[in-house]
Amino acid sequence: MAKWTKQRWAKAWTGMRRDAGMNTAEYAMGTIAACAFAAVLYKVVTSDAVSSGLRSTIEKALDAPF
């Protein structure tokens, strides 16, 4: 085998062995973190202060003269 062929195979083999994505444990932790963030965001958006602020902003926008 020619020298350049061995080098090409070596580069191709090392390229295949690289870990380019997440493994199962990382997916699980990412999913748990996303669910926790969604729960906190839901609690914030449905709180009385935010809800009344959104309601007030929408009422002002609807009552504004054209």
Side-chain angles (χ1 to χ4, degrees):
M1 215 180 240
K3 184 177 181 180
W4 65 272
T5 307
K6 288 181 184 177
Q7 291 173 348
R8 290 178 87 187
W9 277 105
K11 286 181 182 178
W13 178 252
T14 56
M16 283 187 262
R17 293 180 57 187
R18 277 189 237 150
D19 186 22
M22 294 192 299
N23 62 26
T24 304
E26 290 169 334
Y27 277 119
M29 293 304 294
T31 302
I32 291 170
C35 290
F37 180 72
V40 170
L41 187 60
Y42 177 76
K43 285 291 189 182
V44 168
V45 170
T46 58
S47 69
D48 290 334
V50 174
S51 181
S52 65
L54 286 173
R55 186 176 298 117
S56 171
T57 302
I58 292 170
E59 287 173 357
K60 286 179 186 176
L62 291 175
D63 291 337
F66 290 101

